[in-house]
Amino acid sequence: MQEQGNASDTGDDESHGPATPAGPFRGGWANTDLKPPLLPGAACAAKRRSAVSERFPGERIVVPSGGLKVRSNDFDYTFRPHSAFVHLTADHGTQAVPDSVLVFEPTGCGHSVTLFVRPRSPRDGGRNGAEFYGDRRHGEFWIGRRRTLSETADALGLEVAARDDLERALGKKAPTRVLRGEDAHVDSLVPPDSRADAELVTFLSELRLVKDEWEVGQLRAAVDCTVAGFHDVVGELGNATLLARGERWIEGTFNRRARLGGHGLGFETIVAAGAHACVLHWMRNDGPVRNGDLLLLDAGVEADSFYTADVTRTLPVSGRFTDVQRRVYDLVLAAQSAGIAALRPGARYGDFHDAAMRVIAEGLDAWGLRPSGGAVSGSGSDLYRRYTLCGSGHMLGLDCHDCAGARDATYLGGVLEAGHVLTVEPGLYFQPDDLTVPEELRGIGVRIEDDFVITADGAMCLSSGLPRDADEVETWMASLR
């Protein structure tokens, strides 16, 4: 890879380089301006902006996209804008521009909304005239073409201005709320108001709780691509067993599908073979994949619209469950089925978890497994937490664990509504050194996770393209090997 220059010719986020292109770069450039269509999600984003305007009359609202983050020395991580920014703009995949800022400016009858964004690198001199060839972070010759301001306006259906004009816009007096921690320059321009800013975070998070039809379509596309990735993985299990770090082979197999069919990963892929399945967020993925073991794959494709799937299957590497593995798997499946049956509008959010944990508790009690000799009470979730560890699901959307800034009253302590999208994912994890369980169970971890949208009369499974029943899993795996 070409070395990316030194400090003298790279600049930083606020530098602009020489005003005029140097000799070999001066003149002779064709006009390649485009006329892009309005992005499919832009109309829905406009409705969300109206909701923000209605909630905060007379106040300026500032929502940055966030910027580039250094991975090592002069290399950055792939840019991914903040989810609240995406929700309000419907910006898309690789077209999203770091350091963009959405500003709601109060007017007498609502807000004018302007997106401040870095425009395409100019070729004709001016303040940023050498950027296109001399700026390693933002120059077109280094990182590719950005949209012009008019192209961005056409694509997003927004008023657009250059990022350089932001400071002047924020200098006007108005009560201002900022989504903080995403843009240090923006944070420095507006004095903080911790209560007001926190209320903004909460509102923006709760605005994402109920998905519209377009969002559900994006989630369906992300799930469909994820299902295809699971099919790919099953076809590669044989190759994975031949490698010292077979988990990495599985990881790469799924990740290739994510990059081919979407923007990439919604989260780092969990490939947990054998006892690694007892680690909830096993992302080292550096172990072997052995015949006779189970493989827990927890993965999700992020669509180009940034909506993500989150699906888990626990698969017998050999293609057949052992009797002990099937016993654990069937209990988790029964728990998930009970949780799914509790999904309906008007139900408490926690009902599906409680239903799943009752099945887990009853099953483990029937097996004689009671940590510390405790008695069964209530749902058993506390008594059996040693083996279940965490909750049985979460909201899903632009973030894998979506709407995390919402109040308990509207999320964890709230009720389900049509348009909520969530996962149901109970699990059992018997640690390899846990002396409270029989030796045959130690090192077995099972999780089954599917994605659901709440409908007017129940719930629809978005990930039904993957089998759940143990017999069906074995038949499916045999068909792909």
Side-chain angles (χ1 to χ4, degrees):
M1 178 173 286
Q2 177 65 44
E3 185 178 353
Q4 296 189 352
N6 56 40
S8 65
D9 64 10
T10 60
D12 58 27
D13 285 353
E14 300 303 320
S15 67
H16 305 289
T20 304
F25 298 97
R26 188 179 296 122
W29 302 106
N31 182 353
T32 56
D33 289 353
L34 304 173
K35 190 72 175 176
L38 187 70
L39 286 174
C44 294
K47 294 178 182 178
R48 300 171 202 141
R49 295 195 295 272
S50 294
V52 173
S53 178
E54 183 178 350
R55 171 61 179 82
F56 300 106
E59 300 182 68
R60 179 186 294 133
I61 303 300
V62 183
V63 181
S65 70
L68 295 168
K69 294 178 174 62
V70 175
R71 182 187 184 279
S72 63
N73 190 24
D74 56 351
F75 289 94
D76 296 311
Y77 286 102
T78 300
F79 175 63
R80 202 278 192 185
H82 191 280
S83 293
F85 177 89
V86 174
H87 197 232
L88 296 174
T89 63
D91 212 350
H92 203 70
T94 56
Q95 293 297 310
V97 178
D99 307 315
S100 300
V101 183
L102 190 67
V103 177
F104 295 70
E105 188 66 27
T107 64
C109 56
H111 291 81
S112 62
V113 183
T114 303
L115 177 62
F116 292 86
V117 64
R118 195 182 299 273
R120 185 185 181 191
S121 301
R123 299 288 207 277
D124 56 355
R127 190 177 183 188
N128 301 307
E131 178 190 83
F132 72 99
Y133 65 87
D135 189 323
R136 68 171 180 84
R137 289 191 113 187
H138 305 293
E140 187 168 322
F141 285 10
W142 289 92
I143 53 92
R145 185 188 192 278
R146 290 188 299 274
R147 293 174 299 216
T148 66
L149 294 183
S150 62
E151 290 168 358
T152 299
D154 289 340
L156 301 181
L158 275 165
E159 292 296 320
V160 175
R163 160 82 188 203
D164 290 344
D165 298 332
L166 177 66
E167 188 166 343
R168 182 170 63 254
L170 296 185
K172 302 172 185 176
K173 288 189 176 181
T176 303
R177 299 176 189 252
V178 177
L179 180 66
R180 293 194 178 271
E182 299 302 317
D183 190 312
H185 186 57
V186 170
D187 288 349
S188 72
L189 294 174
V190 183
D193 183 329
S194 57
R195 179 179 176 182
D197 294 342
E199 287 175 351
L200 175 62
V201 170
T202 297
F203 179 79
L204 294 177
S205 192
E206 293 179 355
L207 188 62
R208 303 209 308 269
L209 277 168
V210 175
K211 273 63 177 179
D212 58 40
E213 186 176 348
W214 182 81
E215 290 180 286
V216 172
Q218 293 305 299
L219 285 162
R220 185 186 298 280
V223 171
D224 287 347
C225 191
T226 299
V227 168
F230 275 75
H231 283 269
D232 295 342
V233 162
V234 171
E236 289 292 329
L237 279 174
N239 289 329
T241 63
L242 304 176
L243 304 169
R245 294 199 289 184
E247 290 176 345
R248 293 276 171 94
W249 188 263
I250 298 303
E251 176 186 13
T253 297
F254 183 85
N255 293 5
R256 180 177 65 244
R257 173 65 66 173
R259 289 291 283 168
L260 179 67
H263 185 250
L265 300 173
F267 52 92
E268 291 300 311
T269 301
I270 297 169
V271 184
H276 291 164
C278 300
V279 181
L280 287 182
H281 289 169
W282 177 260
M283 298 178 185
R284 301 178 195 175
N285 300 344
D286 59 358
V289 176
R290 299 187 178 97
N291 278 310
D293 283 346
L294 294 176
L295 173 75
L296 189 156
L297 176 63
D298 187 338
V301 172
E302 181 179 80
D304 287 319
S305 58
F306 299 111
Y307 287 83
T308 187
D310 182 9
V311 177
T312 305
R313 287 295 183 269
T314 305
L315 308 172
V317 175
S318 68
R320 303 281 295 181
F321 292 98
T322 67
D323 290 344
V324 173
Q325 291 168 350
R326 181 181 281 261
R327 180 154 56 103
V328 178
Y329 186 93
D330 284 348
L331 179 54
V332 174
L333 178 63
Q336 192 202 28
S337 296
I340 294 168
L343 297 177
R344 66 180 64 88
R348 289 189 318 111
Y349 172 82
D351 284 353
F352 75 91
H353 170 72
D354 291 345
M357 286 303 99
R358 278 193 293 273
V359 172
I360 292 286
E362 291 167 1
L364 293 181
D365 187 51
W367 295 355
L369 294 183
R370 295 184 181 183
S372 304
V376 176
S377 63
S379 69
S381 58
D382 288 335
L383 177 65
Y384 291 111
R385 190 174 179 187
R386 180 180 184 117
Y387 310 138
T388 59
L389 294 176
C390 65
S392 300
H394 53 80
M395 291 294 183
L396 184 69
L398 283 166
D399 292 339
C400 176
H401 296 165
D402 206 26
C403 311
R407 294 165 295 173
D408 280 353
T410 62
Y411 185 171
L412 299 178
V415 298
L416 296 177
E417 298 180 41
H420 282 170
V421 179
L422 70 161
T423 70
V424 179
E425 53 169 322
L428 277 172
Y429 313 94
F430 298 116
Q431 302 299 328
D433 58 349
D434 190 343
L435 301 181
T436 70
V437 300
E439 185 175 0
E440 63 181 1
L441 293 177
R442 296 174 200 164
I444 292 179
V446 173
R447 180 163 67 250
I448 309 170
E449 179 181 22
D450 286 280
D451 302 342
F452 296 87
V453 57
I454 303 300
T455 62
D457 56 0
M460 177 175 58
C461 183
L462 299 175
S463 47
S464 59
L466 288 177
R468 296 192 305 125
D469 176 83
D471 287 338
E472 293 174 355
V473 167
E474 291 181 347
T475 300
W476 168 61
M477 292 182 68
S479 72
L480 295 173
R481 304 186 77 158

